[in-house]
Amino acid sequence: MIRSAVVSDVPVIHAMIRELAEYEKVPHEARATEAQLREALFGERPAAFAHLALTPEGEAVGFSLWFLSFSTWRGVHGIYLEDLYVRPGVRGGGHGKALLRELARICVERGYERLEWSVLKWNEPTIAFYEALGARPQDEWSVYRLTDGALAELGGA
């Protein structure tokens, strides 16, 4: 079962973000606090949205966290999937596919024309999963990022 996250889900989402950071071998980079997540997801002006994958007993075993993007070429919104995570013990049970299916459903329902995300190049099982669903890599683009000191310097801090 997939459902939209509610405020009381913030601790489990936070825990799964930490688990994802461990899986991706960068636990020190996951610095978000529960308070920051609560504000981003449920504050006065939410910046992001989340869904949970639940077992039949109601246990959260996966999540997606996403936000709206906008295509100037297509003139409509899309969804950028920031995180998709399913706990190791239940992988292969359809939870990841169900989370992606829900985001695709939202895109179709709202007239969004893109569902995009990034994946680490070394994560071959996940790449195979995405490609089996029909997703294709966008090899002509490279992701760039400014953070920490470089961001502060460019921003005039």
Side-chain angles (χ1 to χ4, degrees):
M1 180 174 89
I2 305 299
R3 70 164 170 78
S4 295
V6 296
V7 174
S8 61
D9 294 323
V10 168
V12 73
I13 293 169
H14 186 257
M16 286 191 281
I17 289 170
R18 303 283 311 163
E19 292 170 26
L20 175 59
E22 289 281 342
Y23 174 76
E24 292 184 352
K25 304 175 179 112
V26 288
H28 60 281
E29 292 185 20
R31 299 183 303 208
T33 66
E34 286 185 23
Q36 288 172 313
L37 287 173
R38 191 173 297 105
E39 180 63 26
L41 294 168
F42 304 106
E44 188 175 316
R45 293 186 343 198
F49 308 91
H51 286 83
L52 292 177
L54 305 173
T55 65
E57 299 76 34
E59 177 190 359
V61 293
F63 80 101
S64 63
L65 195 143
W66 56 277
F67 53 88
L68 293 180
S69 61
F70 184 80
S71 170
T72 56
W73 289 20
R74 294 187 176 220
V76 296
H77 281 293
I79 286 178
Y80 187 85
L81 176 60
E82 179 67 18
D83 286 332
L84 177 73
Y85 178 74
V86 175
R87 287 183 160 153
V90 296
R91 289 185 187 153
H95 302 291
K97 185 175 182 178
L99 286 162
L100 283 170
R101 181 178 285 128
E102 176 61 9
L103 296 183
R105 185 196 67 74
I106 291 168
C107 286
V108 170
E109 177 182 276
R110 297 180 186 177
Y112 301 165
E113 295 189 15
R114 289 182 179 166
L115 173 55
E116 296 179 306
W117 60 91
S118 297
V119 61
L120 291 165
K121 291 183 181 200
W122 59 259
N123 196 345
E124 293 178 16
T126 300
I127 291 168
F129 165 69
Y130 291 147
E131 289 183 353
L133 296 175
R136 296 294 171 253
Q138 301 299 298
D139 293 334
E140 66 274 12
W141 295 92
S142 293
V143 176
Y144 283 78
R145 178 178 295 158
L146 278 172
T147 60
D148 304 323
L151 179 63
E153 183 177 334
L154 185 62

